[in-house]
Amino acid sequence: VWQELAHCAETDEEKIKYYDSAMEWFRTCIDTEDEGPDFLRVITSGYYHVGQVGLDAGRMPKRNYERMAIELLEGMMRAHPTAWRTDNGLRALIEWSKLECARGDSGRAVKIALEAATRAKTAGKGPLERMANRQLNLYVAGGCGGSIGGLDADVLNRVADDLRTQAKYADAIRAYRSVISSAPDTPQGFVTHKWQAWENMARCYKEEGDLLGQALAYEAIHEAWKNGLIPRIKGDQHPNEDRAAKSRILAQQAMKSLAETTRSKVFETRLEAMTGRLRRDYPNTNLGGNIDWNRALDLWKRALEQKRKKDPAWKQTLAEAQGVFESISQDPKSPVQEKAW
């Protein structure tokens, strides 16, 4: 209400009176005793609205509402360490980042927006994470005035995610490449940053209908697996191998679509090589039964196509398919053992 009255005021003195009243009102919320979740929601609502008033009022004669709001917001996480678990606590962090941007401090704006995005992800608040990512994108693009150098992979990755959310796939692909370039070429660098970037890049290519780009993006993950950039985990569970194998299967599906669409011998040969090595490259994956099943089906379909074309190789291809089906039928751990019979 006070902000709306300030908008209607004709003189700076009147505007200051209304903005002061708004700030005082929200300070009352902030000063509420934190006696539980319901009280914390009131408190963080006060911080959120203080940020909005600071942005709305800006700098006026004898009043710097931006600075006043920032000083209050700086104390939020110290006084209330769990404020970020509330929606308005996260919104307050985002408003704080906007205030820093309005002051021209792009580095601090990026830092605070990144904190908001990271905490929103931890709290499982997807819409607020995307809201923070959107602000990061604006700041990195120069929205605070000037360019920002030396950005780390975390920030670049969130910018890329925001572009993908907006269906700006070509821009997102370029941004994911920046993530990959900025991350160290080590197992930790690959697992922490590059792996997800390659997966998301493949998804962008798929949305654009670029099957070759999709397959090549997944190929980078396969190469990382072969070269030891993806750590092998000892024991009964193999989550890294399962994840890498899934990417290989998706690459195989993209290559299969390319081969069927173009009838190119190059893609067909590449598909055969990928299919033949899939089980050997990922021997411990829980997806093993599905890998073998898909390979057997592909061999069987190829045999039928060869026979239709009167290619004498069809008998050998059919024998290969039969061998794979028999192998599956004798594996009690295979999820498709009964189907193989």
Side-chain angles (χ1 to χ4, degrees), residues 101 133-144 148 159 162:
C101 181
N133 285 347
R134 180 63 46 85
Q135 292 305 130
L136 275 173
N137 195 350
L138 291 172
Y139 305 154
V140 171
C144 305
I148 307 175
V159 169
D162 179 58

Side-chain angles (χ1 to χ4, degrees), residues 305-320:
E305 181 67 12
Q306 289 172 333
K307 184 177 181 182
R308 187 182 66 81
K309 294 179 178 179
K310 298 181 180 180
D311 182 345
W314 74 269
K315 291 183 180 180
Q316 180 181 347
T317 305
L318 186 63
E320 289 181 41

Side-chain angles (χ1 to χ4, degrees), residues 2 8 37 99 109 134 138 146 158 171 207 235 271 283 288:
W2 300 117
C8 298
L99 285 161
R134 180 63 46 85
L138 291 172
R158 289 190 172 281
D171 292 336
E207 291 294 337
L271 176 61

Side-chain angles (χ1 to χ4, degrees), residues 24-255:
E24 189 61 34
W25 180 266
F26 295 128
R27 276 202 191 95
T28 302
C29 297
I30 291 170
D31 292 338
T32 301
E33 286 293 323
D34 186 357
E35 298 180 3
D38 291 337
F39 292 90
L40 185 59
R41 278 192 286 271
V42 172
I43 294 167
T44 53
S45 177
Y47 280 113
Y48 169 47
H49 288 293
V50 157
Q52 288 189 316
V53 173
L55 278 172
D56 190 54
R59 303 174 191 178
M60 299 187 67
K62 301 181 181 180
R63 290 286 194 283
N64 186 339
Y65 289 102
E66 289 175 358
R67 182 68 258 170
M68 291 165 63
I70 287 172
E71 288 174 354
L72 287 167
L73 288 163
E74 283 175 338
M76 181 179 73
M77 295 302 291
R78 291 194 302 269
H80 308 282
T82 61
W84 60 273
R85 295 186 182 277
T86 69
D87 287 0
N88 280 332
L90 291 168
R91 291 190 181 101
L93 285 175
I94 295 170
E95 294 303 303
W96 181 7
S97 76
K98 293 178 184 178
L99 285 161
E100 297 292 357
C101 181
R103 294 175 62 229
D105 193 338
S106 55
R108 193 158 168 77
V110 166
K111 180 181 178 181
I112 295 166
L114 178 60
E115 180 182 359
T118 303
R119 291 186 180 278
K121 182 176 182 178
T122 300
K125 298 181 183 294
L128 289 169
E129 181 186 1
R130 290 190 289 275
M131 186 184 298
N133 285 347
R134 180 63 46 85
Q135 292 305 130
L136 275 173
N137 195 350
L138 291 172
Y139 305 154
V140 171
C144 305
S147 59
I148 307 175
L151 293 171
D152 64 21
D154 283 333
V155 174
L156 293 171
N157 187 63
R158 289 190 172 281
V159 169
D161 285 347
D162 179 58
L163 291 167
R164 184 165 67 93
T165 300
Q166 296 181 66
K168 296 179 179 179
Y169 299 118
D171 292 336
I173 288 168
R174 285 191 289 272
Y176 284 125
R177 290 195 183 281
S178 296
V179 174
I180 292 163
S181 298
S182 67
D185 195 21
T186 62
Q188 182 178 358
F190 190 88
V191 171
T192 304
H193 299 294
K194 295 188 178 186
W195 197 344
Q196 187 71 55
W198 280 118
E199 288 176 336
N200 285 335
M201 193 188 300
R203 294 182 181 110
C204 289
Y205 277 122
K206 182 179 180 181
E207 291 294 337
E208 289 197 319
D210 186 346
L211 292 171
L212 181 57
Q214 179 190 3
L216 291 175
Y218 284 129
E219 185 72 21
I221 297 171
H222 179 62
E223 289 299 316
W225 172 255
K226 290 197 303 181
N227 295 335
L229 281 174
I230 299 177
R232 270 67 166 170
I233 298 176
K234 296 180 181 180
D236 295 333
Q237 302 297 316
H238 306 276
N240 283 353
E241 187 168 349
D242 288 346
R243 182 177 171 187
K246 183 177 180 180
S247 291
R248 195 58 173 166
I249 291 171
L250 292 171
Q252 180 185 346
Q253 292 171 354
M255 192 61 64

